[in-house]
Amino acid sequence: MGIFPFLVVAWVVVVGLYGIVTSRDLIHQIVCLIVVQSSTYVLLLGVGYVTGGAAPYFFDIPLHAKAVDPVVQALALTDVVVEAAVTALLLSFAIQAHKRFGTLDPHELAEFKG
C-alpha cells in the first residue's frame, strides 16, 4: 500500500467540505456530505488492501497465503448502510424544512431560529 489512497481520501474530503461550506441549498449540502462520507470507503479499502492477497474466504488457498482483511470489508459495508440511513434522515429533515418554511436555503432557515 502506498500513499495514493490517502491522497485520494484527502482530496475527496476537501472537495466535499468545500461543497458543504459554499452551498446555499440543503439538498446540495446533503450530497456533499455523502461525498465526504464516501471518502471513508476509500480509506477503509486502502487500509485493508494487501498486495497479492487472496479473497477472504479460505476454502481452497494454502494455510499461510496472504489474504485481505475481511473485517475491513465488513466495516466498509456497514459504512454504506449507515450512510444510507443518515442520508434518508437528512433528506426527510430537508423535506420537512421545505414544507414548514418554504425554503431550503440554510441562511434563510437560520432567520426562523428562535
Side-chain angles (χ1 to χ4, degrees):
M1 179 179 74
I3 194 167
F4 185 69
F6 299 109
L7 293 176
V8 171
V9 168
W11 182 76
V12 172
V13 167
V14 167
V15 168
L17 289 177
Y18 176 78
I20 290 172
V21 170
T22 60
S23 179
R24 302 269 310 178
D25 186 53
L26 283 180
I27 303 298
H28 186 259
Q29 284 183 338
I30 293 168
V31 170
C32 290
L33 184 66
I34 292 169
V35 170
V36 170
Q37 192 169 2
S38 296
S39 69
T40 59
Y41 309 152
V42 178
L43 180 65
L44 285 170
L45 296 176
V47 167
Y49 180 74
V50 176
T51 303
Y57 59 91
F58 300 104
F59 177 67
D60 60 348
I61 61 173
L63 186 60
H64 298 291
K66 291 196 299 187
V68 295
D69 189 5
V71 174
V72 176
Q73 294 178 2
L75 286 174
L77 183 61
T78 304
D79 195 12
V80 170
V81 173
V82 168
E83 179 188 2
V86 168
T87 302
L89 182 67
L90 290 176
L91 287 173
S92 68
F93 286 161
I95 290 170
Q96 290 302 316
H98 188 267
K99 283 182 183 178
R100 186 174 217 189
F101 303 114
T103 184
L104 288 176
D105 187 357
H107 298 290
E108 289 180 23
L109 289 173
E111 296 172 2
F112 296 113
K113 184 174 143 185

